[in-house]
Amino acid sequence: MFLDRLLETNRSLAELALVWQRDGVVLPNTYVIDLDAICENARTIKAVGDREGVKLYFMLKQLGRNPLVGKALAEMGFDGAVCVDYQEALVLSEAGVPLGNVGHLVQTPVAALGRILAARPDIVTVYSVEKAAQVGDQARRHGLTQPIMLRIIDERDTLYPGQYGGFRLSELDAAVNELERIEGVRVAGVCSFPCLLFSEEKGDIVALHNVETVRAAARTIERRGYSDLQLNMPSATCAHSIPVAAAAGATHMEPGHGLTGTTPYHAAEPDAPERIAYVYVSEVSHNLDGHAYCYGGGHYRRGHVENALVGTSLVNARRMGVRPPSDECIDYHFELSDRARVGDGVLMCFRTQMFVTRSEVAVVSGLSSSAPRLEGIFDTLGHRLR
C-alpha cells in the first residue's frame, strides 16, 4: 500500500532495513521506526495545530505503544498520549510518558483506575454514569477531581464493530443530571470516533455526521452553564485534516497514522507533507511451487499489503507481489509471487496496528543526518527487549 511512497519519501529507511536484516541487526518480522521522520512529521502537524488552535494528543498503539516515540513527542510540546486502552495507559505512564486522554475506545477497568489516575491524565473518557462513578470513587481517594469526557453516539453516526458504547445524544441531558451528583469528577469534554475519514469518492478527508453529534452534545452541555469544553474529533489527523476539524469547532485531535505518513490520504495524495516513518522487514524462509515464503507475524487484516522488495539492498532488490494469509489463518508466512534466495531480505510497507501483531519494533535515530543509531528493540506492547 505504501511501498512506492516509502521509496519516494524515505528511501534511506528502506535501505537501512535491508542492511540491518542482511547483517543480523534485526530479526525477520520486525518493524523499523524512523524516529527522525516521526519528529519531522510531528513538527509539521503541531505547527498546523498551533495555527488552528487545536491541541493534540498523540496516539501510539499503531507504533506498539513505543515509549521512545512518546517521550520525543512529549518533549516537542504535544499534550500527552491518547491511550485507547488501559494497558497502553499503564505502559506509557510507567515509562514516564504523560497521559492526555485515557479510555477513548476501551473503558478503564476498576483494577487499573487507581494506578492510571495516579498518573494524572488530562481527561478520562467514559461511556456511562456507572463508569464515571467508579472514576469519581478513585479520584476522591487521590484527593482530586478528575475531568471526564463523554463519548456521544447518535443513530446516524459511523461506528465500528467492537467499539460500540457511549451516551446517546437524545439522553444526554438526563445523563448529565446524574453525573453532576457524582463527587470526584467534572464533565469537561465530549468526543466521538471516527469524526473524519478519507473518502475515495471525493479523494479527500471529509467530516462525518459524528462531528455534528459532538457539536450538538457540546451545545446541550453548555446550555447547563459549562464552558471551555473539549470537543475531541479524532481520526485521520494530519496537517491536511486539522483545518477541516478546526472549522467544525474541534479543540482537540489525536494524530496516529498521520505521524508516520500512513493514513489513506497519504496513499492517495503525493504532495502530503508527512513522510513514511516505518517499514516492515522479513526474510525469505523457503520456496515451494514457484513461490517464495517469508516469515510473518506482522500481518494486519486491514493493511492492504500488495508488494514487497526482495534482496540484500535496494540496488539488487526485486519487486514481487504479496499474498497475505486469509483472515481466519495465523500469519506464519507471507507468500511472494516468485522464487527467491533463502535468507534474502523482504521489505514491505503497509498500514498496520503494531500492538495487535507479534512483531518486534526497532527504533532508529540519526537517519536524517546519515548517522543511524539503533535506540532499542521493543515488543509491540511497549516493553524494551534489548
Side-chain angles (χ1 to χ4, degrees), residues 18 73 119 125 134 143 159 192 251 289 309 313 326 330 347 384:
L18 284 175
L73 296 176
T125 296
Q134 292 173 351
L159 297 173
S192 180
T251 65
D289 297 332
L309 292 176
S313 73
S326 56
I330 298 172
L347 205 66
R384 181 182 286 271

Side-chain angles (χ1 to χ4, degrees), residues 261-283:
T262 53
T263 75
Y265 171 76
H266 293 91
E269 178 49 64
D271 295 327
E274 295 91 352
R275 296 194 296 139
I276 299 291
Y278 68 76
V279 67
Y280 180 74
V281 62
S282 187
E283 178 180 305

Side-chain angles (χ1 to χ4, degrees), residues 197-207 240-241 244 265 268:
L197 284 180
F198 178 75
S199 167
E200 292 187 2
E201 178 182 355
K202 296 184 178 180
D204 204 353
I205 295 173
V206 298
H240 180 71
S241 66
V244 178
Y265 171 76

Side-chain angles (χ1 to χ4, degrees), residues 51-305:
R51 185 190 73 204
E52 299 289 337
V54 175
K55 294 185 177 181
L56 302 172
Y57 297 131
F58 53 83
M59 180 174 289
L60 296 181
K61 66 184 175 70
Q62 78 285 352
L63 292 176
R65 307 170 180 166
N66 192 268
L68 293 186
V69 176
K71 290 177 180 177
L73 296 176
E75 290 172 0
M76 291 176 60
F78 280 73
D79 289 88
V82 49
C83 300
V84 298
D85 63 27
Y86 53 94
Q87 293 103 324
E88 184 170 1
L90 291 171
V91 166
L92 292 182
S93 64
E94 289 167 2
V97 177
L99 303 184
N101 176 18
V102 174
H104 196 161
L105 293 183
V106 179
Q107 294 288 272
T108 304
V110 175
L113 269 174
R115 284 180 288 169
I116 289 174
L117 293 188
R120 300 296 194 269
D122 278 1
I123 201 161
V124 173
T125 296
V126 297
Y127 289 8
S128 65
V129 172
E130 294 90 340
K131 183 55 65 178
Q134 292 173 351
V135 173
D137 178 63
Q138 287 293 333
R140 292 194 303 273
R141 297 183 188 187
H142 285 83
L144 58 90
T145 298
Q146 175 62 53
I148 58 173
M149 181 144 54
L150 313 183
R151 190 187 195 214
I152 312 298
I153 57 174
D154 184 70
E155 287 76 8
R156 292 170 289 174
D157 287 347
T158 297
L159 297 173
Y160 293 127
Q163 298 179 15
Y164 297 149
F167 295 88
R168 293 197 178 278
L169 180 61
S170 59
E171 302 169 356
L172 179 58
D173 205 48
V176 176
N177 273 335
E178 295 186 65
L179 292 169
E180 288 176 340
R181 292 195 287 266
I182 300 173
E183 296 182 12
V185 299
R186 173 176 59 86
V187 175
V190 288
C191 67
S192 180
F193 180 86
C195 287
L196 296 91
L197 284 180
F198 178 75
S199 167
E200 292 187 2
E201 178 182 355
K202 296 184 178 180
D204 204 353
I205 295 173
V206 298
L208 303 177
H209 184 270
N210 303 51
V211 168
E212 295 303 318
T213 297
V214 170
R215 294 174 62 178
R219 289 193 296 268
T220 295
I221 297 173
E222 286 167 348
R223 283 195 292 267
R224 303 176 64 95
Y226 289 80
S227 61
D228 299 322
L229 293 174
Q230 283 197 27
L231 276 68
N232 192 314
M233 299 184 187
S235 191
T237 304
C238 60
H240 180 71
S241 66
I242 291 174
V244 178
T251 65
H252 289 70
M253 296 182 75
E254 300 173 348
H257 279 283
L259 296 169
T260 53
T262 53
T263 75
Y265 171 76
H266 293 91
E269 178 49 64
D271 295 327
E274 295 91 352
R275 296 194 296 139
I276 299 291
Y278 68 76
V279 67
Y280 180 74
V281 62
S282 187
E283 178 180 305
V284 175
S285 165
H286 60 278
N287 292 281
L288 180 67
D289 297 332
H291 297 274
Y293 292 80
C294 69
Y295 298 98
H299 178 50
Y300 175 56
R301 293 191 300 273
R302 298 173 60 218
H304 302 291
V305 59

Side-chain angles (χ1 to χ4, degrees), residues 34-44 69 72-73 76 259:
D34 182 347
L35 187 58
D36 292 8
I38 287 179
C39 290
E40 177 187 324
N41 293 341
R43 282 189 288 269
T44 298
V69 176
L73 296 176
M76 291 176 60
L259 296 169

